[in-house]
Amino acid sequence: MELSSLLSPINITLTILITASIFFMRGKVRSDLVAVCALLALVLFGILDTSEALAGFSNPVVIMMIGLFIVGAGIFRTGLAKVISSKILQTAGSNENKLFILVMLVTASIGAFVSNTGTVAVMMPIIVSMATSANISPRRYLMPLAFASSMGMFTLISTPPNLVINNALVDAGYKALSFFSFAPIGFVALGVGVIILFFLSKLLISKSDASATKKKQGKSLVELAMEYELQNQSYRIEVKNDTPLSDKTLAELRIATHYNVSISKIVRKVGNSRFRKNVIEEVAGPKSTIQKGDILYCHGSLEDIERFVSENHLHLEKTNGDYPFTDFQESGIAEIFIMPNSKLINRTISEIQFREEYNVNVLGIQRQNEYRMHDIKDAKLHSGDALLIQGTWKDLANLDDRQDDLVLVGQPLKEAAKVTLDQKAPIAAAIMILMVIAMVFEIVPSVIAILLAAVAMVVTGCLRNMEEAYGSINWESVVLIGAMLPMATAFQNTGVDTLISGGLVGKLGDFGPYALLAGIYFCTSLLTMFISNTATAVLFTPIALKAAVSMSVSPYPFLFAVAVAASMCFASPFSTPPNALVMSAGRYTFMDYIKVGLPLQLIMGIVMILVLPLLFPF
């Protein structure tokens, strides 16, 4: 084969696409960086000119996504979403089946208007608290929670693939979709999901889960500590008179560096009571000073603890296997989960400076059912990691405002069940309603309605300032879509869309439009298991459009198939951010997703192939 044919535009485009897809699947390099590199390659090889390459960043889809991130942040920041979901879910009481149905319905309803990742972040602590207080394993609800957030595609703004196909239809000269064009699909998807998951979700509960929930009324401090086996590496150490540590700060001593021992709390006498009740507690920080007579609550291996005690003339108290934090009054422990798009990902605990940034101590890391309690300060955080933290109840509660980066669960139920409503919540609700009205009745273009709502969230104080608004934007997703959208132009310029769609039509066209629809749906569904659902939608939208035109049938059912297949991928924990977020919280394995998610994904695909042409005829 001649070199010129190997370097033809179509081969270059396909090579860039395949290379980018491999990097997407491996997940070692950030998806936005991969997308930008692919975009630059298309320019350097002459497939796209500069204006075509940059057009994606001015595309209405990208601008709408930025606005929706800000609007969603206002809804979450004011506590509106949390209060609504909490009040509705409380009607379920302790009825396991009623709670399951309400979890699905409420999550899908909220997910229709705001980010599905944000929806899961808000709902997850509430559901864990309610499930445990009702003596029900949260495992049955967290995976359906993630799936339901994707099923709530009732509106044009519910998921990015919806915006992608609408933009493609408008660019091709077809009538734009209305705000509620997806509503019939959403009702069908949610109905199928509730019925199928009602039975499949029971497979997520093992006999040990069932017996454990009968014995407890929620996850207490001691139970959370036992889960991380803190009793085996937590010690009380008394500071003696002749210690060299006396009157020095922890920052000066650098105990963690020298001894690999972490001090989480200092208890100090403030009176002469022989019963040691007149004491004050201090969550250890860099400025904390050690004084004679203090009791230090420490974590580390027994070998490191003994070396620390010996070299500094301290006294190690016997714990008798008891967890030494059970006597906390003003402070305690909790569990947090790292969000899929958190800025903390790929940074170590020491780099983040958890104590300085969040006023809490990190005691342990749980990743895919493996617990790491030693040498954690240099461990890089991954999406979905669970961290066991310790701090004052006030500082733990303040973490609830950091939902862009982490989700707080695992507190004692009395603390975890607290839900506050900001005084700005009615304003946020009014802004959201007005935005929807403007889009439904087409008072202004959709992108303008969303930008107006985003600005209103800042001006009215639903978000504190523009810095908070910018911080709420998932820039990785924005750059990913902006860089991937020109790939569709590259497909058209080189004829890749014609090649792939022609192949699909040639293989399946003779069997009719239903067969072609099935081919497009399951190809999209398969690819979404390995790369971003938005990127998949961007890639398959021009292919589906070209295939429909070549068969002289309506493109609507085919593009709807792309959006639905890209959004409803359940067989992998890494296909969507909500799936990844609940993995650690529910202690799920990859096989759990195969066992529950794969049958649901296949059944959903079959139903949609039959239903879509009925809703949107060929």
Side-chain angles (χ1 to χ4, degrees):
M1 186 178 293
E2 296 182 0
L3 182 61
S4 58
S5 62
L6 287 174
L7 296 179
S8 65
I10 192 168
N11 284 337
I12 292 173
T13 303
L14 285 173
T15 301
I16 293 172
L17 171 62
I18 293 170
T19 303
S21 298
I22 292 172
F23 277 99
F24 282 140
M25 293 177 196
R26 286 176 57 84
K28 300 295 184 181
V29 182
R30 281 177 50 129
S31 59
D32 51 348
L33 179 58
V34 173
V36 170
C37 289
L39 180 65
L40 291 173
L42 290 171
V43 175
L44 294 175
F45 280 100
I47 307 300
L48 297 175
D49 59 35
T50 304
S51 61
E52 289 174 329
L54 298 179
F57 293 99
S58 62
N59 192 289
V61 173
V62 175
I63 306 302
M64 287 170 73
M65 280 194 63
I66 293 174
L68 288 172
F69 279 125
I70 297 174
V71 173
I75 298 294
F76 297 133
R77 174 69 182 80
T78 58
L80 181 62
K82 180 175 288 187
V83 168
I84 292 174
S85 58
S86 178
K87 297 299 182 185
I88 295 175
L89 287 174
Q90 283 175 4
T91 63
S94 59
N95 187 306
E96 181 177 352
N97 294 330
K98 189 176 180 181
L99 178 60
F100 173 84
I101 294 173
L102 280 174
V103 166
M104 296 285 291
L105 296 180
V106 173
T107 305
S109 299
I110 297 176
F113 298 96
V114 294
S115 156
N116 57 356
T117 305
T119 300
V120 172
V122 165
M123 296 282 289
M124 193 165 71
I126 299 172
I127 290 171
V128 169
S129 176
M130 294 190 66
T132 51
S133 64
N135 295 332
I136 305 168
S137 172
R139 282 175 55 85
R140 190 190 174 192
Y141 301 99
L142 292 177
M143 190 181 291
L145 165 70
F147 294 169
S149 70
S150 299
M151 294 174 192
M153 50 190 314
F154 299 107
T155 67
L156 184 63
I157 63 174
S158 60
T159 181
N162 294 9
L163 299 173
V164 170
I165 69 163
N166 181 60
N167 184 68
L169 286 167
V170 172
D171 288 347
Y174 293 92
K175 183 179 177 180
L177 302 174
S178 69
F179 187 76
F180 287 110
S181 289
F182 283 86
I185 300 174
F187 283 115
V188 172
L190 185 57
V192 172
V194 169
I195 294 171
I196 300 301
L197 287 174
F198 184 83
F199 299 101
L200 288 180
S201 63
K202 295 181 180 180
L203 299 176
L204 297 171
I205 306 176
S206 64
K207 292 182 179 180
S208 58
D209 292 327
S211 60
T213 54
K214 291 179 182 179
K215 296 179 182 178
K216 64 180 184 177
Q217 295 294 325
K219 187 182 285 188
S220 68
L221 279 173
V222 178
E223 289 168 329
L224 188 57
M226 294 288 287
E227 186 176 311
Y228 281 80
E229 297 185 349
L230 286 183
Q231 70 275 17
N232 296 327
Q233 51 235 327
S234 301
Y235 303 91
R236 287 189 187 97
I237 296 176
E238 184 178 359
V239 180
K240 293 295 188 178
N241 293 337
D242 57 345
T243 179
L245 307 180
S246 184
D247 298 323
K248 295 182 180 179
T249 65
L250 294 183
E252 292 176 304
L253 295 170
R254 301 180 64 190
I255 293 171
T257 301
H258 295 312
Y259 298 100
N260 200 26
V261 170
S262 173
I263 299 178
S264 57
K265 186 183 75 167
I266 300 173
V267 175
R268 180 170 299 144
K269 281 186 181 182
V270 293
N272 295 321
S273 171
R274 59 181 293 192
F275 300 106
R276 300 177 61 88
K277 291 184 179 179
N278 298 326
V279 297
I280 58 173
E281 299 176 1
E282 178 186 357
V283 175
K287 297 180 180 179
S288 298
T289 302
I290 295 179
Q291 297 181 11
K292 297 173 183 177
D294 284 352
I295 299 296
L296 310 180
Y297 285 68
C298 302
H299 301 274
S301 68
L302 181 58
E303 180 182 355
D304 290 331
I305 290 288
E306 289 177 339
R307 183 168 65 90
F308 171 56
V309 168
S310 174
E311 293 182 8
N312 293 282
H313 310 296
L314 304 172
H315 173 65
L316 175 61
E317 295 186 359
K318 293 182 179 180
T319 60
N320 296 321
D322 294 330
Y323 177 56
F325 282 170
T326 54
D327 58 347
F328 266 36
Q329 298 297 320
E330 300 299 324
S331 54
I333 56 177
E335 198 171 33
I336 58 174
F337 292 92
I338 304 300
M339 291 285 283
N341 297 299
S342 170
K343 66 176 181 290
L344 308 180
I345 293 175
N346 289 327
R347 298 175 64 193
T348 66
I349 291 172
S350 58
E351 288 173 346
I352 297 166
Q353 295 185 314
F354 248 91
R355 275 182 174 173
E356 293 79 0
E357 179 72 17
Y358 301 105
N359 292 323
V360 297
N361 297 307
V362 179
L363 306 181
I365 301 175
Q366 184 261 320
R367 179 178 298 156
Q368 297 181 1
N369 292 327
E370 293 184 2
Y371 295 83
R372 181 172 177 177
M373 309 304 298
H374 303 302
D375 301 321
I376 60 174
K377 61 185 177 66
D378 296 321
K380 286 191 175 183
L381 299 181
H382 295 176
S383 171
D385 279 355
L387 306 184
L388 184 69
I389 57 173
Q390 174 263 335
T392 66
W393 291 121
K394 181 180 179 181
D395 288 330
L396 292 177
N398 287 339
L399 292 176
D400 213 23
D401 295 329
R402 303 291 191 115
Q403 288 186 347
D404 288 342
D405 294 315
L406 48 86
V407 176
L408 175 68
V409 296
Q411 289 180 260
L413 296 179
K414 185 177 178 180
E415 297 295 327
K418 289 181 180 178
V419 178
T420 58
L421 182 63
D422 191 273
Q423 67 271 18
K424 298 289 186 179
I427 299 175
I431 293 171
M432 183 74 176
I433 292 171
L434 290 174
M435 181 190 77
V436 172
I437 292 174
M439 295 180 71
V440 170
F441 294 100
E442 299 180 356
I443 298 173
V444 293
S446 294
V447 64
I448 301 301
I450 292 172
L451 286 178
L452 286 171
V455 171
M457 286 291 184
V458 178
V459 172
T460 59
C462 294
L463 294 174
R464 293 187 184 92
N465 46 44
M466 284 300 293
E467 285 71 23
E468 186 174 14
Y470 287 132
S472 68
I473 299 170
N474 184 338
W475 291 108
E476 181 177 355
S477 297
V478 171
V479 173
L480 170 65
I481 295 177
M484 287 299 295
L485 282 171
M487 184 69 76
T489 305
F491 278 15
Q492 295 169 358
N493 290 351
T494 60
V496 170
D497 57 346
T498 303
L499 176 68
I500 299 177
S501 62
L504 287 170
V505 172
K507 297 289 184 180
L508 303 172
D510 292 340
F511 299 98
Y514 272 98
L516 181 60
L517 183 67
I520 289 174
Y521 187 100
F522 284 111
C523 284
T524 305
S525 183
L526 180 63
L527 188 58
T528 306
M529 292 179 64
F530 304 102
I531 70 174
S532 157
N533 61 343
T534 304
T536 303
V538 170
L539 294 176
F540 267 91
T541 293
I543 294 170
L545 184 62
K546 195 80 172 181
V549 170
S550 66
M551 284 194 69
S552 300
V553 293
S554 171
Y556 286 90
F558 294 90
L559 292 192
F560 274 111
V562 170
V564 175
S567 298
M568 298 192 195
C569 186
F570 311 122
S572 167
F574 311 113
S575 57
T576 64
N579 288 8
L581 183 58
V582 301
M583 186 177 187
S584 289
R587 306 292 189 262
Y588 299 126
T589 64
F590 191 91
M591 285 307 300
D592 287 326
Y593 288 85
I594 298 294
K595 184 169 55 178
V596 175
L598 183 58
L600 176 63
Q601 188 168 331
L602 292 174
I603 294 171
M604 190 72 74
I606 294 170
V607 171
M608 286 299 166
I609 291 166
L610 297 175
V611 169
L612 285 175
L614 300 179
L615 298 174
F616 309 97
F618 292 121

